[in-house]
């Protein structure tokens, strides 16, 4: 029961997974026993949940489970990491595997941070726009209406309709800001506290077909290729690993086709070429890397290139949203003020003519 509770309460984020791989890699490389390493991690855990997690893993190993089996039973680690650690233990290259997974999860954490920051900025802009429109609609309008009444001017029908529309728009913007703010808090809470991360998973599914997701998945694909070449892992297992991580539907189909062609005897560079994901220069670089024995370095460079493309796409989206939100705010505030000034100017002209 305690293991099940732990499984549902503590799911490590990419940032914490990177720290785990880094610390375990250092301890394993220095010759520390896995059980003692877990005790050391538990003593320095950032939270009581993590401390309980490492104690649970240690107890599983004391009961006879292997390191990978104990990690899997804890439920806080992705299946891919558990699988890679199992291969590392079997091959005797656990420290190398952990170092590679540290690099992988560090890049994942950086990308997740970029996406979260990209979500926060438009939300702030939207909140400012809503606050400005709220002041105009609920504070400025009553003043003008009072002036109109004192002057004996009745508001035109079109002005009344416009004001009603803006009242509804501001109300909807307030509701939208509250929902987005609550969602952002929930995502932040899920990433800090762990758990099933339901809202975070839903957001990822929404963006699953986006360009950002495509670029990041291509980056993950070549990151896994680099990891497998560097650690000497069989490519047959690497494809299984890739299909667990890649979420973009079109790329998933290409990876499956690549897996079939590789099993039929084609070289990995030829299979990757037929996926038609690389530029001509990148394809030539890949062939040269394979022939010169520097394939891991080439895969790393290509992975970094596509991860950078994903980050640039995020920044491009944010840069597009900023002027749109500012323009919308100026348009709505300007429309309200112009609509108010026109009757007032007409009244002043009537008074001046009289």
């Amino acid at each position: 029961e305690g293991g099940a509770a732990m499984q549902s309460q503590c799911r490590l984020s990419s940032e914490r997974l990177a720290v785990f791989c880094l610390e375990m890699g250092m301890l394993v490389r220095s010759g520390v026993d896995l059980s003692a390493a877990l005790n050391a991690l538990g003593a320095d855990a950032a939270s009581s949940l993590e401390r309980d997690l490492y104690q649970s893993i240690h107890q599983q190993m004391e009961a006879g489970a292997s390191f990978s089996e104990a990690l899997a039973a804890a439920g806080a680690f992705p299946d891919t990491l558990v699988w890679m650690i199992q291969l590392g233990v079997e091959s005797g290259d656990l420290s190398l595997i952990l170092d590679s997974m540290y690099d992988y999860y560090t890049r994942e954490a950086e990308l997740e941070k970029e996406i979260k920051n990209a979500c926060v900025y438009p939300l702030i802009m939207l909140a400012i726009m809503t606050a400005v429109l709220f002041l105009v609609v609920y504070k400025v309008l009553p003043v003008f209406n009072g002036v109109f009444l004192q002057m004996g001017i009745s508001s035109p029908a079109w002005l009344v309709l416009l004001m009603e529309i803006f009242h509804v728009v501001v109300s909807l913007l307030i509701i939208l800001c509250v929902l987005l703010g609550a969602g952002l808090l929930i995502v932040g809470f899920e990433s800090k506290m762990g758990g099933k991360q339901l809202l975070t998973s839903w957001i990822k599914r929404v963006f699953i077909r986006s360009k950002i997701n495509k670029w990041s998945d291509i980056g993950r694909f070549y990151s896994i290729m680099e990891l497998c070449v560097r650690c000497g892992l069989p490519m047959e297992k690497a494809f299984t690993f890739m299909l667990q991580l890649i979420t973009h539907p079109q790329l998933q189909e290409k990876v499956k086709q690549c897996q079939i062609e590789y099993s039929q005897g084609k070289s990995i560079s030829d299979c990757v070429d037929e996926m038609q994901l690389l530029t001509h220069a990148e394809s030539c670089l890949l062939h040269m890397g394979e022939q010169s024995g520097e394939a891991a370095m080439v895969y790393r460079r290509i992975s970094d290139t596509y991860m950078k493309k994903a980050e640039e796409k995020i920044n491009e989206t944010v840069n597009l949203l900023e002027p749109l939100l500012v323009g919308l705010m100026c348009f709505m505030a300007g429309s309200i003020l112009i609509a108010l000034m026109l009757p007032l100017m007409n009244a002043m002209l009537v008074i001046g003519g009289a």
Side-chain angles (χ1 to χ4, degrees):
E1 293 180 0
M6 180 67 63
Q7 194 166 352
S8 62
Q9 291 176 6
C10 186
R11 186 82 180 178
L12 297 183
S13 65
S14 295
E15 184 179 0
R16 294 307 305 164
L17 288 170
V19 172
F20 169 79
C21 292
L22 177 63
E23 293 177 342
M24 282 298 297
M26 290 190 297
L27 292 170
V28 170
R29 199 160 39 251
S30 63
V32 177
D33 178 73
L34 288 174
S35 183
L38 287 169
N39 281 333
L41 291 181
D44 295 332
S47 66
S48 58
L49 280 175
E50 280 191 39
R51 185 166 52 252
D52 294 342
L53 171 66
Y54 293 131
Q55 288 177 355
S56 172
I57 297 171
H58 179 264
Q59 291 171 0
Q60 291 275 350
M61 293 182 68
E62 289 292 315
S66 66
F67 185 36
S68 57
E69 289 172 345
L71 292 177
F77 300 89
D79 294 339
T80 47
L81 177 59
V82 174
W83 177 71
M84 291 298 293
I85 286 176
Q86 181 182 351
L87 291 178
V89 172
E90 292 172 356
S91 63
D93 292 325
L94 181 58
S95 61
L96 182 60
I97 293 285
L98 287 169
D99 288 343
S100 298
M101 295 307 294
Y102 163 73
D103 291 338
Y104 174 81
Y105 283 115
T106 297
R107 278 179 279 180
E108 287 290 302
E110 290 173 353
L111 183 63
E112 289 173 6
K113 186 177 179 181
E114 286 281 343
I115 293 174
K116 287 176 182 177
N117 289 340
C119 292
V120 170
Y121 185 70
L123 180 60
I124 292 173
M125 292 294 298
L126 185 64
I128 293 172
M129 182 180 76
T130 303
V132 171
L133 293 176
F134 179 86
L135 289 174
V136 171
V137 172
Y138 290 98
K139 297 297 181 181
V140 177
L141 287 184
V143 174
F144 275 90
N145 285 332
V147 172
F148 290 154
L149 290 174
Q150 289 178 2
M151 298 176 66
I153 302 172
S154 60
S155 300
W158 62 270
L159 179 59
V160 174
L161 177 62
L162 185 63
M163 294 304 102
E164 290 297 326
I165 291 174
F166 280 123
H167 273 284
V168 173
V169 170
V170 171
S171 300
L172 291 176
L173 284 173
I174 292 172
I175 294 172
L176 180 61
C177 284
V178 171
L179 291 177
L180 289 175
L184 201 62
L185 289 174
I186 292 171
V187 170
F189 179 78
E190 286 180 342
S191 66
K192 291 289 184 184
M193 300 302 295
K196 295 183 179 179
Q197 300 190 350
L198 298 178
L199 184 58
T200 305
S201 299
W202 179 81
I203 292 173
K204 288 179 179 178
R205 285 197 297 271
V206 170
F207 290 102
I208 202 169
R209 294 179 181 273
S210 68
K211 200 91 170 183
I212 295 171
N213 186 58
K214 181 180 179 180
W215 292 142
S216 59
D217 269 355
I218 293 174
R220 290 186 187 102
F221 174 83
Y222 289 107
S223 178
I224 297 164
M225 295 290 289
E226 179 250 340
L227 187 152
C228 292
V229 170
R230 196 202 306 178
C231 300
L233 301 177
M235 280 296 166
E236 292 82 359
K237 292 185 177 180
F239 283 114
T240 304
F241 187 21
M242 292 171 195
L243 290 171
Q244 291 177 356
L245 291 178
I246 291 172
T247 55
H248 194 274
Q250 182 184 2
L251 190 55
Q252 275 187 337
E253 291 302 317
K254 289 188 175 184
V255 172
K256 290 177 182 177
Q257 185 62 33
C258 186
Q259 182 179 22
I260 294 171
E261 291 176 357
Y262 181 76
S263 65
Q264 292 174 350
K266 285 189 177 182
S267 69
I268 191 65
S269 57
D270 289 337
C271 294
V272 169
D273 267 351
E274 294 191 10
M275 292 176 70
Q276 298 179 342
L277 297 175
L278 302 180
T279 64
H280 178 70
E282 290 170 341
S283 180
C284 292
L285 182 63
L286 180 57
H287 282 282
M288 291 295 294
E290 192 174 70
Q291 293 170 10
S292 62
E294 296 289 340
M297 182 270 290
V298 174
Y299 288 135
R300 178 59 180 263
R301 287 183 180 274
I302 295 175
S303 174
D304 289 344
T305 297
Y306 281 92
M307 284 296 188
K308 187 176 181 181
K309 282 186 179 182
E311 292 175 5
E312 288 173 352
K313 189 66 179 178
I314 293 170
N315 293 330
E316 179 186 322
T317 304
V318 173
N319 292 336
L320 178 65
L321 285 174
E322 179 182 1
L324 285 176
L325 289 174
V326 172
L328 180 62
M329 179 179 67
C330 293
F331 171 76
M332 293 180 68
S335 299
I336 293 172
L337 293 177
I338 291 173
L340 289 172
M341 293 302 295
L342 286 175
L344 188 59
M345 290 175 64
N346 291 332
M348 293 176 67
L349 288 173
V350 170
I351 294 173

